[in-house]
Amino acid sequence: PWLRAQAVEPLYPTSLTQPNLELPFKIGRTWSFSGGPHSAWGPDGALAALDFAPSSVEHGCVESLEWVTASAPGLVVRSGNGIVVIDLDGDGYEQTGWALLYLHVSSKDRVATGTLVEEGDPLGHPSCEGGMATGTHVHIARKYNGEWILADGPVPFVLSGWRAHAGSEPYKGTLTKGDQIVTACQCGSFETRITR
């Protein structure tokens, strides 16, 4: 196994930087930062994901007409069961280079596998599909060479200039941009609002 590993190492080059990524919703829209760094997949995974919820007058899992949008250009390599994965290097493999996973994307109007997207293109609507969820939202996480990248790690998760910071426990945390701070909460309070 050590010889095979040498063919792909290092998984993370020392010069690794995140590509430019935008918040996963339309320009001019205000959503809630509903989940700080938490597990990208499963209950005990790497704290690589962030959650955003559209504005709504109803709580819980309700249909939304808002759009989840591509944070960067790339190729949709997986679409189904609430999931959309965009391969940013366009080679067709989410195991190489940068990939973005979006979870809880409604089957209604969801982008198809094989679609080339540009930054800001619609991917589908936020929902509760594809896993456990207490309310309509989108879950977004990054991978590099098939490995989850921590949201608050050596290569920080930055969306539209907002940098993720972990809190005292999963789902807590903040986004900061200059002297602005947005605090994560599933409550949808004024303090959680973020506008792209």
Side-chain angles (χ1 to χ4, degrees):
W2 303 115
L3 291 176
R4 285 197 317 267
Q6 288 175 3
V8 295
E9 288 181 338
L11 281 177
Y12 310 125
T14 56
S15 61
L16 183 65
T17 58
Q18 174 196 277
N20 186 46
L21 300 177
E22 300 296 333
L23 287 164
F25 47 89
K26 289 187 174 278
I27 293 172
R29 305 302 293 174
T30 300
W31 284 37
S32 250
F33 176 42
S34 58
H38 61 282
S39 175
W41 195 261
D44 300 316
L47 303 182
L50 303 173
D51 289 347
F52 297 92
S55 298
S56 177
V57 294
E58 298 179 74
H59 294 287
C61 294
V62 297
E63 183 177 357
S64 175
L65 298 178
E66 291 287 335
W67 287 98
V68 174
T69 59
S71 294
L75 175 66
V76 176
V77 292
R78 198 162 26 128
S79 180
N81 193 28
I83 295 171
V84 172
V85 175
I86 300 176
D87 170 30
L88 301 189
D89 65 13
D91 68 359
Y93 298 101
E94 66 180 275
Q95 302 87 350
T96 60
W98 285 99
L100 299 175
L101 173 126
Y102 301 80
L103 179 60
H104 307 303
V105 180
S106 173
S107 55
K108 178 184 176 184
D109 302 321
R110 185 170 49 228
V111 67
T113 300
T115 304
L116 282 169
V117 295
E118 294 297 324
E119 181 272 310
D121 283 355
L123 302 178
H125 304 286
S127 73
C128 290
E129 290 181 34
M132 292 178 44
T134 57
T136 299
H137 72 287
V138 67
H139 166 107
I140 182 173
R142 309 166 300 165
K143 290 197 281 185
Y144 184 79
N145 285 348
E147 298 292 327
W148 299 113
I149 301 296
L150 295 175
D152 186 14
V155 182
F157 207 161
V158 178
L159 294 161
S160 300
W162 291 91
R163 180 179 175 165
H165 302 278
S168 57
E169 58 188 69
Y171 292 95
K172 298 195 182 273
T174 59
L175 290 174
T176 60
K177 185 176 187 180
D179 61 354
Q180 300 175 77
I181 300 172
V182 176
T183 302
C185 181
Q186 294 176 353
C187 60
S189 67
F190 180 84
E191 293 79 16
T192 68
R193 294 187 318 162
I194 186 165
T195 302
R196 176 164 175 227

